[in-house]
Amino acid sequence: MQGSARNLLREFEEGRLVPALAAHVGIRYRPDEEHGEIGSWRRSVPVLLGLLCDCGLGDLQVILEYQLPYSPKRVDALLCGVHPETGLPSYVLVELKQWSNAEVVRHGLVRYNGRKGQPVLHPAEQVRRYCMHLLGFVPSLARTPSCVKGLAYLHNAHRGDDWQLDDFDRDDYSGLYTADQLGDLATDLAASLQVADDAADRLVRARRAPARSLLITAAGSVAARTDFVLLDEQQVAFEAVRGAVADASGNGGGRKKVVLVRGGPGTGKSAIALNLYAAMARSRVKVVHATGSKAMTETLRLSVFGENHWQGEDVFKYFNNFARARQNELDVLICDEAHRLRGQANVPDYWRGRLRGQIHQLIDAAKVPVFLLDDHQVVRPSEIGSPNDVLEIARAMDCQIVEVDLDGQFRCGGSPLFDLWVQRLLGLVEEAPVSWSDLVADTDDEYVVESVEAPHALESWLRARIRDTDAGARIAAGFCWEWTPPVRKDGKLSLADDVRIGGWHRPWNAWPDVEVPDVPATSFWASDPRGFGQIGCVYTAQGFEYDWAGVIMGEDLVIRDGRWVAQHDRTEDPALKRTTGERFDRLVRNAYKVLFTRGMQGVCVYSADPETNDFLRKHTA
């Protein structure tokens, strides 16, 4: 929503602005709504617009609910003008808060208006990161970073004896003003902004791509943590992308090249993706890494950038961040875990006059889109990331296609036989199941495959491996038990013991965005050592590896008379409850294949169904 402060204020007073904002962001407008975003707009937007009019900036161009490039995040207001002294473009990002008071929980985190539960980012830090993100993806701004400023305006708060929010790292991107500082705010805005009719349009039209400074920083961060040497087909895939990039830069707008890299679990797809990212960024190629997995994306941000993991938001993105990307904005888009692609984008793309799925969007966004995927890891009905899906759409878009099939096995002890054993066991290939000992007879395969008679025995087996090898382990299960919210015991939150088999019971991993003492966040269940105390599912395990894997099969997939039978009524997976028949059967088998193939040194399996557990015992012997 864009216009002068004066015109937008008039639109508000005449009752048209809030419904238009609701339509803009895609939420239902209710005239009597006083909560959520609609209530916030009613209380905050006229305060800012009125302030601009009162301090002589009524003709200043304002963009409300500005969506940051390649991000679902929106800035409350972006003020657009030129600097009064230099005449150069000048932009001020404004976060509007209705807080009347706030307390500091720890550095950078606060709670406001006496609310309990999850703390939020300090508003000055929030807007500072928005500024850095904007600079990271609009190269014309990155060349002169002083043209961007940021501030948080807490228009209901007054500084008093109990005011706590002034202890933060101040810079031009992190101003903080309260209701008793109107004069200071008006003075500072007038010192930074002068009306220019085309300032907002220039920003909207500006090319969006990773800025050079961001690429240099990210390349160093990723390369410092990417010590995986690419071998054979892995290096072939790497060179295929590099060749496609060279062709794209020199073909003067010829046919787009789509690179499709296929490989099973542990074939090094993610290692290729990170090596590619580091090499492309180091060469100043406009590149972004994307996945469809929150757990994987957040873990990459943390592992690469450490305590500055927020910087990773500019490097590691999600597939649904590209719904409104312009054609060929990027040189390279690396789509890791591309089997997580959705058939329909979360954010509809109407501005080109048609609604596109995620594969279309990602191909459109880059000169060289790269898809790394495993056909046997599609685990949700909405996921369409099979090789055939990508190929079909790429051909329909008249793209050249480069295909690379990965060989070898770098997870599961480097054992190519184990992946074959799992596929045969679960009926994913035509060959009949075979016992592990028969398959590896007369080989030097050292991968460990075991089964047990009870869940407590599985846990004991893993604890012994942890003790004896000083390594990590996790237990993951089929989604066959309800996942309930944390419960409060003795004044503190704890996880409910949802996974119950006889007298043995354990909790699922934590709920998203709910802090539970001594329990890792959902996204870090697989990487945080404290995750051993909870049961993970396919959504927290997929894309990760740990030394020793424990797998509990539920009754959604059982053996009856020597054949697998998928039991739709036994799943508690919300995504699969809407799926039946052959589609359900295939998805649940894929999910167990993911769980079976997470361990680097070995796996121990158990089924809650007695007949199925007998089958597992026979084939792990």
Side-chain angles (χ1 to χ4, degrees):
M1 294 296 297
Q2 176 183 332
S4 70
R6 181 176 291 106
N7 288 342
L8 290 172
L9 183 59
R10 183 183 305 116
E11 292 281 311
F12 176 85
E13 292 170 343
E14 294 174 356
R16 294 192 298 270
L17 182 61
V18 174
L21 283 170
H24 168 66
V25 304
I27 63 175
R28 183 179 177 184
Y29 172 71
R30 294 183 176 89
D32 56 348
E33 178 66 62
E34 292 298 328
H35 302 289
E37 285 192 285
I38 290 175
S40 296
W41 293 328
R42 287 197 172 112
R43 290 184 287 272
S44 293
V45 169
V47 174
L48 175 65
L49 297 176
L51 170 64
L52 292 171
C53 292
D54 291 344
C55 67
L57 293 173
D59 292 325
L60 190 75
Q61 289 290 300
V62 179
I63 304 176
L64 297 174
E65 296 298 325
Y66 173 83
Q67 187 166 359
L68 292 168
Y70 305 113
S71 171
K73 299 296 184 181
R74 289 180 268 112
V75 182
D76 289 338
L78 204 159
L79 313 184
C80 309
V82 294
H83 196 279
E85 295 181 2
T86 66
L88 296 175
S90 182
Y91 299 99
V92 177
L93 283 66
V94 181
E95 274 300 297
L96 298 168
K97 303 293 184 187
Q98 300 168 58
W99 306 355
S100 56
N101 57 71
E103 60 174 333
V104 175
V105 177
R106 52 186 178 271
H107 184 71
L109 296 178
V110 301
R111 288 193 178 95
Y112 62 93
N113 292 359
R115 297 190 179 189
K116 303 299 181 184
Q118 180 90 355
V120 299
L121 204 59
H122 190 296
E125 179 66 11
Q126 178 188 6
V127 74
R128 185 173 79 86
R129 295 188 181 195
Y130 286 174
C131 290
M132 299 305 294
H133 183 98
L134 186 65
L135 288 169
F137 280 97
V138 181
S140 60
L141 300 181
R143 288 191 288 270
T144 54
S146 60
C147 69
V148 172
K149 289 182 169 48
L151 65 92
Y153 181 24
L154 282 62
H155 56 84
N156 289 334
H158 293 77
R159 281 173 164 80
D161 294 338
D162 60 347
W163 181 252
Q164 299 183 24
L165 296 195
D166 281 342
D167 184 17
F168 63 92
D169 298 327
R170 300 169 183 271
D171 56 27
D172 284 345
Y173 309 128
S174 58
L176 182 67
Y177 299 85
T178 52
D180 48 350
Q181 292 181 301
L182 278 180
D184 293 340
L185 176 54
T187 300
D188 291 345
L189 289 176
S192 301
L193 293 163
Q194 183 174 299
V195 174
D197 292 339
D198 64 342
D201 288 335
R202 275 192 288 177
L203 177 62
V204 171
R205 293 194 307 264
R207 185 171 63 91
R208 302 183 305 171
R212 184 170 298 179
S213 57
L214 171 64
L215 290 169
I216 294 170
T217 301
S221 299
V222 175
R225 291 162 176 80
T226 306
D227 54 3
F228 192 101
V229 177
L230 300 182
L231 302 174
D232 298 334
E233 289 84 0
Q234 296 172 338
Q235 187 64 25
V236 171
F238 182 91
E239 295 297 340
V241 175
R242 197 149 63 175
V245 172
D247 291 345
S249 63
N251 68 4
R255 291 174 68 196
K256 183 192 295 279
K257 281 192 176 181
V258 173
V259 181
L260 178 65
V261 181
R262 287 181 289 233
T267 49
K269 296 185 296 297
S270 292
I272 295 169
L274 289 176
N275 274 275
L276 273 172
Y277 182 88
M280 297 295 109
R282 205 161 39 234
S283 301
R284 313 279 177 88
V285 171
K286 306 297 184 184
V287 59
V288 166
H289 179 286
T291 81
S293 165
K294 181 179 180 182
M296 184 177 184
T297 300
E298 291 193 351
T299 300
L300 283 171
R301 290 171 178 174
L302 182 65
S303 63
V304 171
F305 290 95
E307 61 183 24
N308 295 320
H309 59 88
W310 59 270
Q311 293 178 328
E313 296 176 9
D314 296 338
V315 174
F316 300 113
K317 313 295 290 183
Y318 294 107
F319 294 147
N320 63 6
N321 291 155
F322 297 87
R324 294 185 173 89
R326 297 171 188 167
Q327 193 166 28
N328 294 337
E329 280 191 340
L330 300 172
D331 294 322
V332 181
L333 177 54
I334 301 168
C335 304
D336 199 1
E337 296 279 301
H339 37 265
R340 303 295 303 273
L341 284 161
R342 303 294 194 267
Q344 188 60 57
N346 292 337
V347 181
D349 176 8
Y350 292 108
W351 68 277
R352 289 194 188 173
R354 68 185 191 280
L355 191 66
R356 303 176 303 158
Q358 281 186 348
I359 297 176
H360 290 87
Q361 294 170 5
L362 298 171
I363 291 176
D364 253 358
K367 297 174 183 174
V368 180
V370 182
F371 297 89
L372 302 105
L373 53 81
D374 176 359
D375 198 19
H376 292 307
Q377 288 198 50
V378 174
V379 297
R380 282 183 171 176
S382 59
E383 294 172 353
I384 64 164
S386 74
N388 286 339
D389 292 322
V390 175
L391 291 172
E392 180 182 351
I393 293 172
R395 289 175 182 135
M397 298 175 71
D398 193 33
C399 301
Q400 287 184 286
I401 298 167
V402 179
E403 298 181 68
V404 180
D405 289 307
L406 299 177
D407 198 1
Q409 174 65 258
F410 295 87
R411 190 181 289 143
C412 305
S415 170
L417 292 177
F418 179 68
D419 190 59
L420 175 62
W421 177 81
V422 173
Q423 292 189 58
R424 292 178 66 170
L425 182 82
L426 295 174
L428 293 170
V429 293
E430 293 182 1
E431 297 165 280
V434 61
S435 74
W436 176 244
S437 58
D438 287 344
L439 187 63
V440 298
D442 302 322
T443 75
D444 58 359
D445 197 303
E446 297 180 355
Y447 196 70
V448 178
V449 179
E450 293 277 0
S451 62
V452 291
E453 73 284 354
H456 62 81
L458 181 145
E459 186 172 9
S460 297
W461 187 91
L462 291 172
R463 289 189 184 278
R465 303 288 83 70
I466 294 171
R467 182 190 65 239
D468 296 342
T469 63
D470 192 28
R474 295 292 184 277
I475 302 175
F479 206 154
C480 296
W481 292 265
E482 189 179 1
W483 186 25
T484 61
V487 295
R488 192 167 295 278
K489 295 180 180 178
D490 300 325
K492 71 175 186 178
L493 283 179
S494 61
L495 300 178
D497 288 331
D498 289 320
V499 182
R500 293 179 173 272
I501 304 172
W504 183 87
H505 46 83
R506 291 291 180 270
W508 287 113
N509 52 254
W511 273 44
D513 303 321
V514 178
E515 287 190 2
V516 178
D518 302 318
V519 172
T522 306
S523 295
F524 305 120
W525 168 82
S527 56
D528 189 314
R530 297 173 298 169
F532 184 71
Q534 309 98 46
I535 309 300
C537 71
V538 66
Y539 304 121
T540 43
Q542 191 171 33
F544 295 95
E545 57 189 24
Y546 22 88
D547 292 291
W548 299 98
V551 179
I552 298 175
M553 296 189 72
E555 295 184 0
D556 53 353
L557 187 65
V558 298
I559 285 289
R560 295 292 181 264
D561 299 323
R563 299 176 64 86
W564 286 110
V565 176
Q567 301 191 129
H568 175 265
D569 61 330
R570 302 303 175 92
T571 187
E572 292 292 336
D573 186 338
L576 294 189
K577 280 182 176 292
R578 302 185 296 272
T579 308
T580 58
E582 292 184 6
R583 180 67 170 161
F584 176 83
D585 180 283
R586 183 54 182 246
L587 292 174
V588 77
R589 294 192 202 211
N590 283 353
Y592 281 115
K593 182 179 189 291
V594 170
L595 299 186
F596 273 58
T597 54
R598 298 304 95 190
M600 292 187 289
Q601 298 191 49
V603 63
C604 186
V605 297
Y606 165 79
S607 174
D609 174 72
E611 186 175 341
T612 307
N613 205 50
D614 290 342
F615 175 83
L616 295 177
R617 300 282 280 165
K618 173 184 175 182
H619 288 91
T620 55

